[in-house]
Amino acid sequence: MENKIFLYLYPIQEFNKVFLFPNEFYEEMKREKPFDILNECINERYRKQGYQIVYVLYPDKEMFGINPMPNDRIIYTDIIFKEASGYNEDGTEKEDKDIKYPNEQYLINQLGFVDKIVIGGFHFSDCVKRVAECCLENGIDTLVDLDLTDLFFSLYYQKNYFKKDEYSPERYKKYWQQKASRYGENIDFIEKRFRRMYGSPVYKFYADNKITRKK
C-alpha cells in the first residue's frame, strides 16, 4: 500500500494570526472564515484521500488555526522559533546570517518511509520549498500544494478559481497568468516571471528544471 503524507509546516500564531480579521469583516465581504476552509480543504483533499496528515511545529510553539484529528501526527523542528524568526526579541530585524533554518533532513527522517508527499504551510517560496526540495532529493514523489501555503489567504475566496477538494498546478498557473495579464504584461514576460518564481520542480510546472537550493 502506498504511503502518502500531507505535511503542513508551522501552523503557529505568529504566522497565522496576521490573516485574521474581526467577524464583521467576513460578514461584510460575504466570505467564509479562512481557517474553517483551510481545515475543510486538508480533510477533503488529503485526509479523505488516504494521506497521513502531519504538522510541523517548533518545540516552543503551539498549533494555531488548525484542528488536528486523532490520527494526525505532529513532528518538531531541531530549533526553536526564536532562532528561526527574522526578528530579534526587541522587534528589530535580524541580519540574514543570524537567521537559522530547521534541518530539513531531520524533519524527513521523522516521517519514516514515504512514497508520496504533498507539502503546504509557511512559506511557499522559503521553508516549504526547502523541505520539498529535500524530499525530492530523497527520492520521494513531491508536490507543493500552493493553494494551502501562505498564498491560501488570498486564494480561498476566489470563486472562479478555488476548489476545496482539489489542487491543480495547471489551474493555478492559468489563474496566475490571467491575473498578471490584467495588468498589461505581455505573455512572454508573464511566462518568464512565472518560471522565475515557480521554476523549482517541486511545484511541478517545469519538469526539466533542476534543484538549485540555497545552503
Side-chain angles (χ1 to χ4, degrees):
M1 185 175 178
E2 188 177 41
N3 187 23
K4 304 183 295 184
I5 285 178
F6 174 69
L7 187 71
Y8 193 95
L9 304 183
Y10 319 134
I12 61 174
Q13 181 171 319
E14 284 78 0
F15 293 152
N16 274 330
K17 196 172 183 179
V18 296
F19 296 105
L20 282 179
F21 297 95
N23 290 338
E24 293 76 16
F25 171 83
Y26 301 108
E27 293 170 3
E28 182 178 341
M29 299 299 293
K30 295 181 170 56
R31 290 182 192 172
E32 297 178 87
K33 294 178 182 178
F35 291 110
D36 292 344
I37 305 304
L38 178 57
N39 281 285
E40 187 176 349
C41 286
I42 292 172
N43 191 53
E44 294 295 323
R45 293 186 183 191
Y46 299 109
R47 193 178 286 109
K48 283 187 176 180
Q49 305 308 317
Y51 284 76
Q52 168 77 65
I53 310 300
V54 182
Y55 303 104
V56 185
L57 292 177
Y58 297 99
D60 57 332
K61 293 296 175 182
E62 296 182 356
M63 195 174 298
F64 182 91
I66 295 288
N67 300 323
M69 297 290 105
N71 291 328
D72 297 349
R73 289 178 59 198
I74 298 174
I75 62 174
Y76 293 93
T77 62
D78 60 319
I79 60 173
I80 60 175
F81 178 73
K82 182 170 67 173
E83 296 175 283
S85 174
Y87 295 89
N88 295 303
E89 291 184 273
D90 62 3
T92 58
E93 285 193 51
K94 289 181 182 176
E95 294 184 31
D96 288 348
K97 65 179 179 63
D98 296 323
I99 300 173
K100 292 185 179 181
Y101 281 93
N103 184 300
E104 296 91 7
Q105 190 62 52
Y106 176 80
L107 297 177
I108 294 167
N109 290 345
Q110 294 180 67
L111 299 176
F113 179 77
V114 184
D115 292 298
K116 183 176 183 178
I117 192 166
V118 181
I119 303 178
F122 294 85
H123 297 88
F124 85 92
S125 62
D126 194 16
C127 286
V128 168
K129 180 183 174 186
R130 291 171 66 98
V131 173
E133 289 182 343
C134 190
C135 286
L136 205 58
E137 290 172 341
N138 277 261
I140 302 170
D141 182 1
T142 304
L143 172 67
V144 172
D145 182 335
L146 289 164
D147 285 355
L148 302 190
T149 63
D150 44 311
L151 299 174
F152 167 83
F153 299 93
S154 62
L155 292 173
Y156 83 94
Y157 55 86
Q158 304 293 339
K159 298 186 184 301
N160 63 333
Y161 164 73
F162 196 86
K163 295 184 178 181
K164 295 178 183 179
D165 62 349
E166 178 189 40
Y167 171 67
S168 164
E170 294 79 14
R171 190 170 67 251
Y172 178 86
K173 183 177 183 181
K174 183 178 179 180
Y175 170 80
W176 193 96
Q177 290 177 325
Q178 288 175 339
K179 186 176 180 181
S181 68
R182 292 200 293 268
Y183 297 98
E185 298 177 2
N186 67 59
I187 190 64
D188 289 338
F189 181 77
I190 290 172
E191 173 60 27
K192 287 179 182 177
R193 189 153 69 91
F194 188 87
R195 179 179 278 266
R196 189 164 59 247
M197 291 179 65
Y198 300 108
S200 173
V202 299
Y203 301 125
K204 292 199 172 179
F205 297 115
Y206 304 102
D208 58 317
N209 280 15
K210 295 182 179 180
I211 295 174
T212 53
R213 299 183 68 209
K214 291 182 180 179
K215 300 297 184 182

